[in-house]
Amino acid sequence: MRNQPQNNKGFLDLFLQQIYCLDAYLHERSYLQKLVLEIFLRHFQIIFLGLLEKLNNPIEFYIIDFYLEEASDSMMKAVEHFTKEVSKIRAGKASTSMFDGVVVDYYGSPTPINQVANVNTQDAKTIVIKPWEKNMLEPIERAILGANLGVTPMNDGDFIRIIMPPLTEERRRDLVKKAREVAENSRVTIRSIRRDANEALKQLKSDGASEDMIKTAEAKVQTCTNDNVAKVDEYLTAKEGEIMTV
């Protein structure tokens, strides 16, 4: 690992030598050819020398940057998954998001409900599902019942109406408990991503990266972890308030 930056630098130096050979080639061209090639060459040299300056950093710098970006993206996806799952937990009022996980049998092919019907809220307590094909009414009805959402679809022959039943205090507390379980699973996922990133950084240290560089990277991983756990906690608090509001 320690020799890698020097190898990169040597390669770039060799490449620059080829550019200088191209520069000598200009003297054998016509005036117009020389002008076009010279303009191209000067612009290329400016760009390439800028790249060379950046590559003066140790190669470990770029590997660490990759690890940090990968960890950040994975944590962000974990938070997005959490918010999507929690949004399916109904809070006593009509919300089309609770049907996001409902899959309908569309001529033998499992298909999300929003790809075979329009799902809309009619009012604070009512959801109306209008299939694009009338013969999909019964498959949609079966899919909703099979999803165990705690609601009863009413098929009137043209569309399906769902009236959200009022939640008892006990049911609200059960839903809060469910939301907290989903949140804890997300926290565990985020911390697992942190652990994997730190293990990769420790391996990089064993391969020759400087201790200061690794400590700085580990601090960034922890900051990213804290930020994403805080997002989960913030969303959970809002969801609990929504569930418990009568």
Side-chain angles (χ1 to χ4, degrees), residues 192-242:
S192 176
I193 294 167
R194 176 189 61 185
R195 184 192 64 241
D196 291 344
N198 285 338
E199 286 178 356
L201 291 171
K202 287 177 182 177
Q203 182 59 50
L204 197 57
K205 181 181 177 181
S206 299
D207 291 340
S210 73
E211 185 174 353
D212 289 344
M213 188 180 292
I214 297 302
K215 283 184 177 180
T216 299
E218 288 176 340
K220 289 181 179 179
V221 171
Q222 186 59 51
T223 298
C224 189
T225 301
N226 294 342
D227 290 346
N228 283 283
V229 169
K231 289 178 183 177
V232 170
D233 292 342
E234 182 180 357
Y235 194 90
L236 175 62
T237 299
K239 188 64 179 183
E240 288 180 355
E242 180 184 342

Side-chain angles (χ1 to χ4, degrees), residues 8 48 53-54 61 78 93 111 118 146 183 188 195 200 203 244:
N8 285 347
F48 201 81
E53 182 178 354
K54 290 183 179 180
F61 174 87
K93 63 180 181 180
T111 306
N118 290 319
V188 169
R195 184 192 64 241
Q203 182 59 50
M244 296 306 296

Side-chain angles (χ1 to χ4, degrees), residues 8-18 20 48 52:
N8 285 347
K9 180 67 161 55
F11 170 77
L12 292 174
D13 287 341
L14 179 62
F15 196 83
L16 283 174
Q17 289 176 15
Q18 301 306 311
Y20 298 141
F48 201 81
L52 176 61

Side-chain angles (χ1 to χ4, degrees), residues 47-92:
I47 296 171
F48 201 81
L49 288 171
L51 175 62
L52 176 61
E53 182 178 354
K54 290 183 179 180
L55 287 178
N56 282 332
N57 288 318
I59 194 66
E60 290 88 347
F61 174 87
Y62 301 98
I63 298 175
I64 288 173
D65 191 57
F66 170 78
Y67 287 153
L68 294 177
E69 184 175 351
E70 186 178 46
S72 177
D73 288 345
S74 297
M75 289 182 188
M76 182 175 63
K77 288 176 182 177
V79 174
E80 289 175 351
H81 177 74
F82 163 72
T83 57
K84 183 177 180 180
E85 289 301 307
V86 171
S87 69
K88 297 176 185 178
I89 300 175
R90 69 184 186 90

